[in-house]
Amino acid sequence: MQAARAAAEASYSPYSRFRVGAAVLAGGTVFSGCNVENASYGLTVCAERIAIFTAVAAGHRRIACIAVACVDAEASATQASLMPCGACLQVIAEFGTADTQLHVHGSRSYTLRELLPYAFRLGQPASSRSGC
Ligand SMILES: O=c1ccn([C@H]2C[C@H](O)[C@@H](CO)O2)c(=O)[nH]1
Ligand SMILES: [Zn+2]
């Protein structure tokens, strides 16, 4: 959670002014990311996916857990629904397991099973595939 909060400081969020940071534990190393927005709003990528893709780019295929922090949460009227979005849950499903813990905004923790009980999967998970 500390790494997630630190990562949020680099958030590029001039449109939403909503700074989010995420940190994943993979192979004993913490990889972090922040949300990166775009003038073409739909191109925005969440902090969670940046953190996970950074871990994958470093050679990891399995994430142990993920923490997400929004440093602007206290000022936000949407505080009650600060949960990872569906796209990020699907990406967590790709590299985690049903038991992967999500530590959300310092409030409480959830398993992926709780938040995405019916994740879409194609055969073997990415982590156990050989080759690419
Ligand atoms: O779990 C979340 C929810 C939202 N955002 C980002 C996307 C966008 O930049 C801003 C507002 O939705 O927050 C994240 O990074 N992670
Ligand atoms: Zn997301």
Side-chain angles (χ1 to χ4, degrees):
M1 191 55 72
Q2 204 173 7
R5 273 197 211 99
E9 298 300 324
S11 166
Y12 177 72
S13 44
Y15 305 104
S16 72
R17 305 234 167 249
F18 199 70
R19 293 173 295 165
V20 185
V24 297
L25 184 63
T29 303
V30 174
F31 295 89
S32 59
C34 61
N35 56 329
V36 180
E37 298 187 345
N38 192 276
S40 177
Y41 293 175
L43 300 184
T44 292
V45 182
C46 299
E48 296 93 319
R49 275 175 287 155
I50 301 265
I52 293 167
F53 294 160
T54 299
V56 173
H60 298 278
R61 297 288 178 91
R62 182 56 78 194
I63 60 167
C65 61
I66 181 164
V68 189
C70 174
V71 294
D72 301 315
E74 291 77 19
S76 168
T78 57
Q79 196 165 355
S81 56
L82 293 178
M83 298 292 286
C85 79
C88 289
L89 292 177
Q90 182 64 40
V91 170
I92 294 167
E94 186 77 24
F95 299 106
T97 70
D99 294 313
T100 296
Q101 293 273 338
L102 293 83
H103 308 288
V104 180
H105 302 287
S107 55
R108 59 159 283 195
S109 299
Y110 305 83
T111 61
L112 183 61
R113 181 184 289 104
E114 285 179 277
L115 301 185
L116 191 68
Y118 299 102
F120 176 75
R121 281 194 186 280
L122 273 180
Q124 293 294 306
S127 55
S128 61
R129 268 184 220 135
S130 58
C132 55

